[in-house]
Amino acid sequence: MGRSTPFYACQSCGAQSRQFFGRCPGCGSWNSLVEQSNPAADGRRRRAVPVPAVGDHSGPRARRSEPIQSVGERPLQRLSSGFPELDRVLGGGLVPGSLVLVGGDPGIGKSTLLLQSARALAADCSVLYVSAEESAQQVKLRWRRLQQPAEGGPGEEGLQLLAETDLELVLQELEALRPAVAIIDSIQALHDAELNSAPGSVSQVRECAAALQRLAKRQDMALLLVGHVTKEGMLAGPKVLEHLVDAVLTFEGDRFASHRLLRAVKNRFGATHELGVFEMRDRGLAEVTNPSELFLGGEGPCAGTATIVACEGTRPLLVDLQALVSTTSYASPRRTATGIGINRLHQILAVLEKHMGLPLSRFDCYLAVAGGLEVEEPAADLGVAAAVVASYRDLILPAGTVLVGELGLGGQIRSVAQLELRLQEAARLGFRRAVVPRSSGLAPVAAALGLELLEAGGVAEALVAALGVDPSAD
Ligand code: TYD
Ligand code: MG
């Protein structure tokens, strides 16, 4: 096959040129030019067969529109990965013919997760595991480590292994084997010999993923792609891949802690922001079925600690926040936040200073979320405020109290979504008091759960209710 002439295309405006520029001559954005293969050559090689829709086996033919009522519906037959946590994040299991990207830092456990899932999937259907990073022996070693003592258990026969980095050979094997599920570990390590660029570059990643996708849709094969995260925390070939695939899962966690969080950031077959929690053990990943316990400090009463109920997708999680407020010895006070946006902390400190008269600009403030969880939602605001004020005043929040509420710039407590679900989780874990936004309408629910409901409209009112004393009084 002849080499095609390369050209460069800007990823933000689409301008094309024969020459490479560090800055796009069309729109002026930096480092946006990416090498593309010659479209004619590409067309000859790969576009010979048009891509029919998922589940259409009738081969290439002209398609006509049809009334929506007459479009046949197929119940989604989902495949189980053997991990209910992973299945839930996928929206109830792996959908045949779908493309799922699993992203995460190197060493976080992507290969382990997928190899373990491959084993469970192979009990029901044929699975091909393409290892482009490790040799077949290395994968086998890991497989043994994950293996239960009894050999020849489920998944032993249905799983095929291919250690290969050349896209063309991988495609050939997929076509020959026609597995129901294929796992590509990783998409960055595959390379298309037709392109001049190095493996892992945006054009390589895109071309490889697109070629695999065409084949997957044609063969109604579920495809799981492993993608590495770059230093900047982006999936390489970021938007290109995200548009292409049906679901994007990110696998994250503190490298120093054993638990791992799996999140759906995009999912065409289920809810996004769904969270699965795992723990890395010496024999692979295990599910954590009661994750709230993981994020509760459990050290007993301590000044500057507050408990919130965060909601990740449909899953409420109780999480401890810790604040340390101490007199500053710098011209401008130090503020650090782990697990929460620093700008959110600045904003909450400003609200407390302005609306409660606390001179926090003369104090350093450190805030940490227990267990390495990232809490993004504003419903954590009230908990942050309570932790900060409790540390500032050296107060211990009464045991069994949770706080949920968003803090407005005017000091008002705004309502939050899924409050009932959060209260249920708090009650389940033995919490007795909940400070929530006013007019929640949940008094009967709280009463049934045995929770004392403290509704507050403003930050001062909420903190007085939570702490039992007025923190702004000297
Ligand atoms: P791996 O799945 O190779 O990560 P990724 O594919 O995301 O790069 O996981 C590697 C880490 O997991 C490695 O540091 C060792 C650890 N690990 C365990 O702690 N227990 C195990 O049973 C396995 C297989 C790996
Ligand atoms: Mg790996």
Side-chain angles (χ1 to χ4, degrees):
M1 222 173 286
R3 272 216 180 285
S4 51
T5 342
F7 70 97
Y8 299 89
C10 173
Q11 301 298 290
S12 47
C13 72
Q16 298 183 352
S17 84
R18 286 254 165 240
Q19 196 187 335
F20 179 80
F21 295 99
R23 187 176 188 197
C24 171
C27 67
S29 49
W30 286 96
N31 298 327
S32 61
L33 257 62
V34 164
E35 188 194 312
Q36 314 276 305
S37 64
N38 186 320
D42 197 46
R44 259 201 318 280
R45 190 158 71 98
R46 300 234 174 87
R47 299 216 182 100
V49 186
V51 185
V54 178
D56 182 47
H57 301 285
S58 52
R61 63 182 164 81
R63 279 190 170 276
R64 296 299 313 273
S65 59
E66 53 186 323
I68 193 158
Q69 295 93 331
S70 62
V71 174
E73 281 180 56
R74 278 196 319 165
L76 285 180
Q77 295 274 334
R78 293 178 186 256
L79 302 167
S80 170
S81 66
F83 284 124
E85 290 280 298
L86 173 57
D87 290 347
R88 196 164 41 79
V89 174
L90 284 168
L94 187 62
V95 177
S98 68
L99 224 76
V100 179
L101 175 67
V102 181
D105 288 325
I108 206 75
K110 301 179 294 298
S111 305
T112 310
L113 177 74
L114 292 183
L115 195 58
Q116 280 181 273
S117 311
R119 189 161 169 225
L121 286 164
D124 294 333
C125 58
S126 54
V127 180
L128 174 64
Y129 187 97
V130 179
S131 171
E133 292 185 351
E134 293 167 280
S135 67
Q137 280 74 24
Q138 280 174 306
V139 178
K140 181 70 194 260
L141 268 179
R142 186 197 300 252
W143 163 269
R144 279 234 178 283
R145 190 165 162 194
L146 304 173
Q147 179 84 318
Q148 310 311 312
E151 280 249 338
E156 192 88 328
E157 321 81 35
L159 181 62
Q160 293 282 120
L161 188 61
L162 172 70
E164 183 53 66
T165 56
D166 188 335
L167 175 70
E168 208 54 48
L169 298 177
V170 170
L171 290 175
Q172 276 173 19
E173 181 63 12
L174 287 171
E175 256 169 302
L177 203 64
R178 294 192 153 259
V181 179
I183 296 168
I184 311 290
D185 187 1
S186 67
I187 188 74
Q188 275 100 356
L190 277 193
H191 89 282
D192 182 350
E194 287 280 295
L195 295 178
N196 293 329
S197 43
S201 62
V202 178
S203 50
Q204 283 280 3
V205 167
R206 182 180 36 197
E207 274 306 309
C208 292
L212 286 165
Q213 185 212 26
R214 284 191 285 267
L215 186 72
K217 296 284 177 210
R218 204 155 68 224
Q219 293 186 185
D220 205 6
M221 161 178 80
L223 200 56
L224 288 153
L225 304 176
V226 173
H228 286 294
V229 171
T230 59
K231 275 202 204 95
E232 295 79 39
M234 299 278 275
L235 286 164
K239 293 297 161 203
V240 196
L241 278 187
E242 285 186 22
H243 286 308
L244 199 73
V245 301
D246 296 310
V248 180
L249 312 185
T250 62
F251 204 37
E252 50 197 63
D254 192 339
R255 286 250 237 143
F256 305 105
S258 61
H259 62 267
R260 303 278 182 267
L261 307 173
L262 186 70
R263 246 180 245 277
V265 288
K266 163 183 173 174
N267 194 353
R268 288 188 182 142
F269 303 107
T272 48
H273 302 291
E274 206 52 89
L275 181 83
V277 187
F278 295 86
E279 194 182 345
M280 182 63 95
R281 305 228 176 113
D282 56 349
R283 293 184 75 99
L285 287 157
E287 294 175 297
V288 176
T289 41
N290 199 356
S292 280
E293 283 167 10
L294 202 66
F295 303 113
L296 289 175
E299 302 98 352
C302 169
T305 302
T307 308
I308 60 162
V309 196
C311 231
E312 296 284 346
T314 54
R315 156 176 270 186
L317 277 178
L318 274 101
V319 183
D320 267 355
L321 304 178
Q322 274 199 315
L324 176 66
V325 177
S326 63
T327 320
T328 187
S329 41
Y330 303 96
S332 59
R334 271 185 76 79
R335 269 90 209 261
T336 68
T338 315
I340 237 168
I342 186 76
N343 289 334
R344 251 224 95 94
L345 177 63
H346 285 309
Q347 185 177 319
I348 295 165
L349 292 176
V351 169
L352 289 174
E353 178 134 20
K354 172 91 178 166
H355 296 284
M356 294 190 64
L358 305 176
L360 292 169
S361 51
R362 300 206 298 269
F363 290 82
D364 289 337
C365 180
Y366 306 91
L367 189 91
V369 176
L373 191 75
E374 291 279 334
V375 181
E376 277 163 20
E377 41 158 21
D381 290 358
L382 186 56
V384 174
V388 166
V389 171
S391 174
Y392 171 69
R393 285 284 177 211
D394 226 352
L395 291 170
I396 293 174
L397 272 146
T401 307
V402 292
L403 300 109
V404 184
E406 177 181 346
L407 215 55
L409 289 180
Q412 67 276 51
I413 308 288
R414 297 228 178 92
S415 60
V416 300
Q418 295 175 300
L419 191 55
E420 187 170 343
L421 205 66
R422 298 177 204 248
L423 293 183
Q424 283 166 353
E425 177 74 357
R428 191 177 71 79
L429 285 163
F431 283 76
R432 288 284 145 264
R433 300 165 76 225
V435 185
V436 300
R438 178 163 294 154
S439 324
S440 66
L442 290 178
V445 175
L449 292 169
L451 272 177
E452 184 188 351
L453 201 66
L454 305 165
E455 295 190 336
V459 61
E461 188 187 350
L463 294 184
V464 170
L467 292 161
V469 293
D470 184 356
S472 49
D474 278 312

